[in-house]
Amino acid sequence: MPFFRAHAHIDTKRREPYLFDEPIRGYLRDAVRLRYQMLPVWYNAFYDASVGGYPIMRYVPTRGTGREMLIQDHNMLSSPETRVGIM
């Protein structure tokens, strides 16, 4: 989703991307770049939702995979991670 924040309560540990060491800093850099590349897709999806009433993510039934799939916008397919203990 396009929601992106880096602020927190004053008592929490600082977590700006530049404070991390490699390779974590590189992973964060890649994630932020991907986020900015995807912004036009998200803004178009939210526009379509506001004008046409289309959901941002639509469930796509899949047979035999044991996975849920969500279609986002017109060209993106994602699968949420649902395994217990993954996070």
Side-chain angles (χ1 to χ4, degrees):
M1 304 303 278
F3 200 66
F4 188 70
R5 276 192 197 161
H7 64 272
H9 190 268
I10 196 165
D11 294 334
T12 59
K13 183 179 176 184
R14 297 197 49 183
R15 56 184 187 216
E16 289 85 2
Y18 59 84
L19 296 174
F20 289 90
D21 294 326
E22 291 295 340
I24 303 300
R25 184 183 308 151
Y27 300 148
L28 294 170
R29 183 183 317 111
D30 293 344
V32 170
R33 285 183 178 153
L34 177 61
R35 178 200 182 267
Y36 281 104
Q37 288 174 351
M38 295 303 297
L39 277 178
V41 172
W42 287 115
Y43 277 99
N44 287 333
F46 276 92
Y47 175 78
D48 290 344
S50 69
V51 172
Y54 305 111
I56 304 301
M57 295 182 182
R58 295 177 289 285
Y59 174 74
V60 179
T62 55
R63 235 179 10 189
T65 63
R67 307 265 329 202
E68 291 181 357
M69 299 296 235
L70 299 170
I71 191 162
Q72 303 168 358
D73 195 28
H74 305 288
N75 301 316
M76 242 171 66
L77 187 66
S78 68
S79 178
E81 186 55 66
T82 57
R83 290 181 292 176
V84 174
I86 198 72
M87 293 293 260

